[in-house]
Amino acid sequence: MTSKPLVSSRLRWNRGYLRTSTVLTVGALLLLSLFMAFPFVWMLSASLKVPKTAFSIPPQLWPYEWRWENYQQVLFHPTVPIPRFFLNSLNIAVLVTLGQLITCTAAAYAFARLRFRGREVLFVVLLTALMVPAQVTIVPLYIEMRFFKLIDTHAALILPALTNIFGVFLLRQYLLTIPDELEDAARMDGAGPVRILLQIMLPLIGPALTTLAIVVFTGTWNAFFFPLIFLNDWQKFTWPLGVTMLRGQYSQNSVTVIMAGITLGVAPVLLAFLVLQRRMIESIGFTGGIK
Amino acid sequence: MGAAGQVLRRGGDGGGGRSLRRRDALTAWLFILPTVVGFLVFVIGPIVGGLALGFMRYDLLTPPSFVGGENFVKMIEDQRILQIFGNTIYYVVGMIALDLVWALVLAVALNSFIPRFFKVFFRAVFFFPILVSGAVISIVWLYLFNMDLGIINWYLVKLGLDRVPWLISSDWVRNSVIIMTVWNGVGFNMLLLLAGLQNIPAELYEAGRIDGAGRWASFGRITLPMLTPVIFFILVKGAIGVFQLFDSPFVLTKGGPGDASRTVLMYIWEKGFQVLDFGYAAAIGLVLFLAILAVTAVQFATSDRWVFYR
């Protein structure tokens, strides 16, 4: 099964012969990847089935009868506004990502390049925020939001996420690797810090900005806990929260419609991943401290 | 560069250095202002508030009142708390162990001598689940784990094994949560370990081979020691993360049966946002924070015994 691609000359295959251990490894990896991908396969298959056959025995992954109406049902559901959930999630994720790119870039530039009193101390103090798990402060944060009258608004999710110490740290480290000479030259030509940041630094830190954007966007898009705490009104729900609640709205045998709802949210992520695969893997890995 | 040097010299005697520096400082403060405000309002504020709230009684409706250590006494007397902290520790140990082994197997396999096409393909497949919301994909697993109709049990029966009561038995349910959560996140540590593997210099293996080390010996004596910094990072980050587990058990089990799969954060949520006992919820949050701090401190204190730094 695997022998054909293995001997292709386009691959880096300089041994010239097939090793059993390679075949075994690839075989084992195939089994593992089947396991890793299986929940998605099952989800897609169930989303296209007639409700009654979702749990047919023996299990049938290839639907007997394709039922696209499941998607129609979930998109135009009378009480559960799935498209609304998407828009809400998109709205929040875009605003948070843009906000963080701006605030983190500005702060990172100041910490990396501008001189002011107390710079080092302040930076270390800010870094301690990374050690306080957000979930531990959830109760006082809720009371604070209630005080600001922001419960059940998207602002409760967006405002605390507009700044991010981790993002500042990430971009600062990146800025420090850029040689001073570039900036000195511009400075002597009379460029102020704002112009230097926008015209010289911004193009140079592109990769770091992409990394931050990918991590922040996926994190916000997938967030569940904070929306659960802060939102009450259906119309304001984000996609993960809404689709989880969708389950409560249906009886057990409507699993097919629920799977259609989930597939609709997973599909854009998969598409983005297929296009940006390399960047996304590098980004998530990078933020984990690879370098 | 010569031109820049000239400009530099010309600018040096202008005498505007001081005002320039002041302008710089002003700009710097403007640049960091949003971050500092966000830090004060959304990090420092809640920390101080949480510290105070832990010693108060507050239900949103009546003004908060100071009650001293009452919330902490209540915690000791709480019949449920032992089980819930026990579950959380079980998750921390079980998830990190499974995650580490699973990620290591994937990373070693991906790093072995297989064609590049397969490498890219498998890496993508193993990585993808990370990008999907754990809460949402838990719904899918809910059906896979179903005792009577679930596809996992169907295959187990097919293999001649017994059905497993994945989510309905108090003994099994935590393991099911662990399997699902690790499946969701294993790709991340796989990437870290893979990078760690690729950073091991090939000469070490050459030298090992000359000294007569076999495959297992070189894995145990070269690969693992060289990976210890990455493994240490995974343990520290993993413990902090799993102590705050919420999404997957919340959707898979709602904490049940009984409290069998409930985590501390789920309990904080219940006490705070369901029962409106905010003081008690904040107090549990403080204890959770201390637990995380203690575990992290122990990890760092013992690290020089086994982490191998080059």
Side-chain angles (χ1 to χ4, degrees):
Chain A
M1 168 187 179
T2 55
S3 65
K4 219 172 174 192
L6 282 180
V7 289
S8 156
S9 60
R10 289 188 57 215
L11 305 165
R12 275 195 219 151
W13 191 250
N14 44 24
R15 292 272 170 122
Y17 61 94
L18 211 73
R19 284 204 316 195
T20 18
S21 69
T22 308
V23 177
L24 282 177
T25 314
V26 172
L29 281 168
L30 268 176
L31 275 178
L32 274 168
S33 58
L34 266 181
F35 176 73
M36 294 300 283
F38 188 78
F40 296 110
V41 175
W42 188 85
M43 165 194 82
L44 183 65
S45 143
S47 77
L48 289 166
K49 283 180 179 170
V50 181
K52 267 189 230 154
T53 61
F55 289 112
S56 60
I57 302 254
Q60 205 163 12
L61 284 177
W62 196 255
Y64 195 65
E65 177 188 338
W66 296 66
R67 200 176 139 94
W68 296 98
E69 294 98 288
N70 292 334
Y71 285 88
Q72 250 172 24
Q73 262 192 48
V74 87
L75 275 175
F76 304 106
H77 193 274
T79 54
V80 185
I82 289 269
R84 180 89 245 157
F85 299 158
F86 277 118
L87 287 180
N88 290 340
S89 279
L90 195 65
N91 176 33
I92 295 170
V94 166
L95 285 177
V96 165
T97 309
L98 282 179
Q100 272 194 34
L101 286 180
I102 295 168
T103 62
C104 292
T105 309
Y109 178 70
F111 279 119
R113 292 304 168 117
L114 298 176
R115 256 171 242 142
F116 57 96
R117 206 180 292 177
R119 185 175 76 165
E120 310 304 321
V121 178
L122 184 62
F123 189 64
V124 172
V125 169
L126 288 179
L127 278 184
T128 57
L130 293 180
M131 291 184 222
V132 183
Q135 277 85 343
V136 170
T137 55
I138 184 65
V139 175
L141 189 63
Y142 179 84
I143 294 169
E144 198 176 300
M145 288 300 177
R146 197 166 169 277
F147 177 77
F148 292 139
K149 305 228 180 317
L150 290 176
I151 299 299
D152 204 20
T153 67
H154 287 166
L157 302 172
I158 296 169
L159 286 179
L162 283 182
T163 57
N164 177 6
I165 309 295
F166 171 73
V168 175
F169 180 70
L170 183 81
L171 296 180
R172 173 186 173 266
Q173 298 309 97
Y174 201 86
L175 276 167
L176 288 178
T177 65
I178 293 171
D180 284 330
E181 287 81 18
L182 275 172
E183 193 172 351
D184 291 339
R187 238 167 209 245
M188 291 312 138
D189 284 345
V194 178
R195 249 186 74 193
I196 293 177
L197 175 57
L198 291 180
Q199 294 188 343
I200 299 179
M201 292 301 172
L202 220 49
L204 290 174
I205 60 170
L209 289 177
T210 320
T211 295
L212 185 63
I214 288 175
V215 173
V216 173
F217 190 92
T218 47
T220 315
W221 178 267
N222 288 334
F224 179 73
F225 186 66
F226 279 75
L228 175 77
I229 301 287
F230 288 121
L231 302 178
N232 306 316
D233 177 9
W234 273 98
Q235 294 295 324
K236 292 173 186 146
F237 277 10
T238 57
W239 176 69
L241 186 60
V243 91
T244 315
M245 299 300 147
L246 180 70
R247 200 164 59 85
Q249 293 288 303
Y250 280 103
S251 56
Q252 189 72 3
N253 54 13
S254 291
V255 47
T256 52
V257 179
I258 295 164
M259 288 305 135
I262 296 177
T263 308
L264 278 176
V266 173
V269 181
L270 182 62
L271 279 182
F273 180 60
L274 289 180
V275 178
L276 299 168
Q277 199 214 109
R278 209 197 187 121
R279 270 252 56 110
M280 282 176 122
I281 290 180
E282 273 168 12
S283 298
I284 309 263
F286 180 79
T287 55
I290 277 188
K291 281 192 175 173
Chain B
M1 224 58 252
Q6 248 175 23
V7 175
L8 218 148
R9 236 169 290 129
R10 211 186 309 149
D13 54 28
R18 178 169 266 199
S19 72
L20 204 70
R21 211 173 300 147
R22 200 172 297 153
R23 195 185 65 172
D24 260 22
L26 191 68
T27 317
W29 280 103
L30 278 177
F31 276 4
I32 58 173
L33 189 67
T35 300
V36 170
V37 169
F39 177 74
L40 289 177
V41 177
F42 299 116
V43 179
I44 295 296
I47 289 176
V48 175
L51 273 173
L53 208 57
F55 297 90
M56 289 180 184
R57 190 182 299 144
Y58 186 44
D59 60 3
L60 288 186
L61 306 169
T62 47
S65 57
F66 182 77
V67 291
E70 193 189 276
N71 289 322
F72 298 94
V73 175
K74 196 155 133 194
M75 214 179 298
I76 296 168
E77 288 164 354
D78 192 333
Q79 304 281 326
R80 299 169 64 191
I81 208 106
L82 208 61
Q83 160 97 48
I84 290 165
F85 268 89
N87 290 342
T88 307
I89 291 165
Y90 187 95
Y91 286 134
V92 170
V93 175
M95 265 181 209
I96 295 178
L98 181 64
D99 199 321
L100 200 56
V101 172
W102 195 339
L104 194 59
V105 168
L106 295 183
V108 169
L110 279 182
N111 196 45
S112 67
F113 194 63
I114 57 169
R116 199 174 149 68
F117 164 79
F118 284 110
K119 264 184 201 182
V120 175
F121 172 74
F122 288 131
R123 195 184 59 171
V125 174
F126 298 150
F127 177 82
F128 180 68
I130 288 185
L131 298 173
V132 180
S133 156
V136 171
I137 208 68
S138 286
I139 303 174
V140 176
W141 279 86
L142 203 61
Y143 295 105
L144 300 180
F145 273 144
N146 190 294
M147 168 94 179
D148 301 314
L149 303 167
I151 200 160
I152 299 180
N153 275 351
W154 188 84
Y155 280 117
L156 288 183
V157 170
K158 192 94 173 162
L159 290 171
L161 301 165
D162 283 335
R163 284 171 196 278
V164 173
W166 295 106
L167 298 175
I168 47 182
S169 137
S170 335
D171 296 328
W172 263 102
V173 67
R174 288 178 302 202
N175 298 330
S176 310
V177 171
I178 289 177
I179 292 172
M180 186 273 143
T181 314
V182 173
W183 168 85
N184 195 202
V186 71
F188 184 75
N189 289 338
M190 173 196 78
L191 280 189
L192 293 188
L193 289 167
L194 188 57
L197 285 172
Q198 284 161 354
N199 283 338
I200 302 177
E203 300 90 72
L204 287 181
Y205 292 107
E206 295 286 325
R209 233 193 16 230
I210 292 164
D211 290 347
R215 189 172 284 201
W216 287 105
S218 72
F219 182 78
R221 301 284 177 89
I222 300 171
T223 312
L224 277 184
M226 292 300 282
L227 281 180
T228 46
V230 183
I231 293 174
F232 176 64
F233 177 79
I234 290 175
L235 294 187
V236 171
K237 202 176 147 65
I240 294 173
V242 182
F243 262 117
Q244 305 171 60
L245 186 68
F246 185 88
D247 297 5
S248 50
F250 184 82
V251 175
L252 277 178
T253 66
K254 293 262 174 225
D259 277 335
S261 64
R262 199 175 307 278
T263 66
V264 178
L265 191 58
M266 291 169 80
Y267 197 50
I268 292 175
W269 176 78
E270 180 191 314
K271 284 299 171 193
F273 303 99
Q274 303 294 103
V275 191
L276 300 187
D277 192 349
F278 281 96
Y280 191 40
I284 302 172
L286 288 178
V287 173
L288 177 65
F289 182 40
L290 289 181
I292 296 175
L293 270 186
V295 168
T296 312
V298 169
Q299 283 174 328
F300 271 95
T302 53
S303 68
D304 54 352
R305 285 193 213 152
W306 64 275
V307 178
F308 177 77
Y309 292 106
R310 254 184 287 174

